[in-house]
mmCIF file of all heavy atoms in Angstrom:
data_model
loop_
_atom_site.group_PDB
_atom_site.id
_atom_site.type_symbol
_atom_site.label_atom_id
_atom_site.label_comp_id
_atom_site.label_asym_id
_atom_site.label_seq_id
_atom_site.Cartn_x
_atom_site.Cartn_y
_atom_site.Cartn_z
ATOM 1 N N TYR C 215 -21.002 -0.255 16.425
ATOM 2 C CA TYR C 215 -20.147 0.898 16.614
ATOM 3 C C TYR C 215 -20.454 1.972 15.564
ATOM 4 O O TYR C 215 -20.602 3.157 15.877
ATOM 5 C CB TYR C 215 -18.678 0.455 16.541
ATOM 6 C CG TYR C 215 -17.797 1.617 16.366
ATOM 7 C CD1 TYR C 215 -17.535 2.439 17.449
ATOM 8 C CD2 TYR C 215 -17.332 1.965 15.117
ATOM 9 C CE1 TYR C 215 -16.805 3.568 17.285
ATOM 10 C CE2 TYR C 215 -16.604 3.103 14.945
ATOM 11 C CZ TYR C 215 -16.338 3.899 16.027
ATOM 12 O OH TYR C 215 -15.631 5.030 15.854
ATOM 13 N N THR C 234 -11.313 18.436 22.916
ATOM 14 C CA THR C 234 -11.242 18.255 24.363
ATOM 15 C C THR C 234 -11.713 19.545 25.041
ATOM 16 O O THR C 234 -11.300 20.635 24.671
ATOM 17 C CB THR C 234 -9.799 17.940 24.782
ATOM 18 O OG1 THR C 234 -9.358 16.844 23.975
ATOM 19 C CG2 THR C 234 -9.717 17.552 26.243
ATOM 20 N N ILE C 269 -18.611 61.366 21.658
ATOM 21 C CA ILE C 269 -19.347 62.587 21.966
ATOM 22 C C ILE C 269 -18.765 63.239 23.227
ATOM 23 O O ILE C 269 -19.414 64.017 23.899
ATOM 24 C CB ILE C 269 -20.862 62.325 22.134
ATOM 25 C CG1 ILE C 269 -21.094 61.193 23.136
ATOM 26 C CG2 ILE C 269 -21.512 61.989 20.810
ATOM 27 C CD1 ILE C 269 -22.557 61.000 23.509
ATOM 28 N N ALA C 295 -19.424 54.920 29.388
ATOM 29 C CA ALA C 295 -18.269 54.875 30.274
ATOM 30 C C ALA C 295 -18.455 53.723 31.265
ATOM 31 O O ALA C 295 -19.503 53.607 31.900
ATOM 32 C CB ALA C 295 -18.146 56.194 31.031
ATOM 33 N N VAL C 302 -8.953 60.868 29.206
ATOM 34 C CA VAL C 302 -7.564 61.292 29.073
ATOM 35 C C VAL C 302 -7.069 61.238 27.627
ATOM 36 O O VAL C 302 -6.055 61.841 27.293
ATOM 37 C CB VAL C 302 -6.610 60.482 29.989
ATOM 38 C CG1 VAL C 302 -6.869 60.834 31.446
ATOM 39 C CG2 VAL C 302 -6.760 58.987 29.744
ATOM 40 N N ASP C 331 -26.821 59.907 35.927
ATOM 41 C CA ASP C 331 -28.258 60.072 36.183
ATOM 42 C C ASP C 331 -29.124 59.229 35.268
ATOM 43 O O ASP C 331 -30.254 58.871 35.600
ATOM 44 C CB ASP C 331 -28.660 61.552 36.005
ATOM 45 C CG ASP C 331 -28.020 62.410 37.096
ATOM 46 O OD1 ASP C 331 -27.582 61.801 38.108
ATOM 47 O OD2 ASP C 331 -27.946 63.637 36.923
ATOM 48 N N VAL C 357 -25.240 44.677 22.571
ATOM 49 C CA VAL C 357 -24.885 43.964 21.334
ATOM 50 C C VAL C 357 -24.718 42.482 21.674
ATOM 51 O O VAL C 357 -24.642 42.103 22.846
ATOM 52 C CB VAL C 357 -23.566 44.500 20.711
ATOM 53 C CG1 VAL C 357 -23.691 45.967 20.343
ATOM 54 C CG2 VAL C 357 -22.389 44.272 21.647
ATOM 55 N N PRO C 418 -43.899 34.361 19.956
ATOM 56 C CA PRO C 418 -44.760 33.670 20.909
ATOM 57 C C PRO C 418 -44.012 32.672 21.770
ATOM 58 O O PRO C 418 -44.536 32.177 22.762
ATOM 59 C CB PRO C 418 -45.775 32.951 20.011
ATOM 60 C CG PRO C 418 -45.078 32.774 18.704
ATOM 61 C CD PRO C 418 -44.125 33.925 18.558
ATOM 62 N N ASN C 513 -4.901 25.627 30.029
ATOM 63 C CA ASN C 513 -3.980 24.885 30.904
ATOM 64 C C ASN C 513 -2.625 25.564 31.093
ATOM 65 O O ASN C 513 -1.779 25.086 31.819
ATOM 66 C CB ASN C 513 -3.820 23.426 30.453
ATOM 67 C CG ASN C 513 -3.569 23.334 28.976
ATOM 68 O OD1 ASN C 513 -3.189 24.328 28.347
ATOM 69 N ND2 ASN C 513 -3.774 22.160 28.414
ATOM 70 N N ASN C 516 -2.117 30.359 35.078
ATOM 71 C CA ASN C 516 -1.834 29.885 36.433
ATOM 72 C C ASN C 516 -3.053 29.824 37.328
ATOM 73 O O ASN C 516 -3.232 28.859 38.062
ATOM 74 C CB ASN C 516 -0.745 30.738 37.070
ATOM 75 C CG ASN C 516 0.633 30.167 36.780
ATOM 76 O OD1 ASN C 516 0.803 28.942 36.851
ATOM 77 N ND2 ASN C 516 1.572 31.007 36.420
ATOM 78 N N THR C 545 0.325 30.477 23.792
ATOM 79 C CA THR C 545 -0.426 31.396 22.948
ATOM 80 C C THR C 545 -1.572 31.946 23.790
ATOM 81 O O THR C 545 -2.266 31.178 24.455
ATOM 82 C CB THR C 545 -1.004 30.660 21.727
ATOM 83 O OG1 THR C 545 0.087 30.145 20.968
ATOM 84 C CG2 THR C 545 -1.835 31.596 20.851
ATOM 85 N N GLY C 554 -11.136 32.031 18.711
ATOM 86 C CA GLY C 554 -10.565 33.191 19.380
ATOM 87 C C GLY C 554 -9.458 33.848 18.551
ATOM 88 O O GLY C 554 -8.973 33.286 17.572
#
Side-chain angles (χ1 to χ4, degrees):
Chain C
Y215 165 76
T234 308
I269 52 172
V302 291
D331 293 343
V357 299
N513 48 18
N516 270 318
T545 298

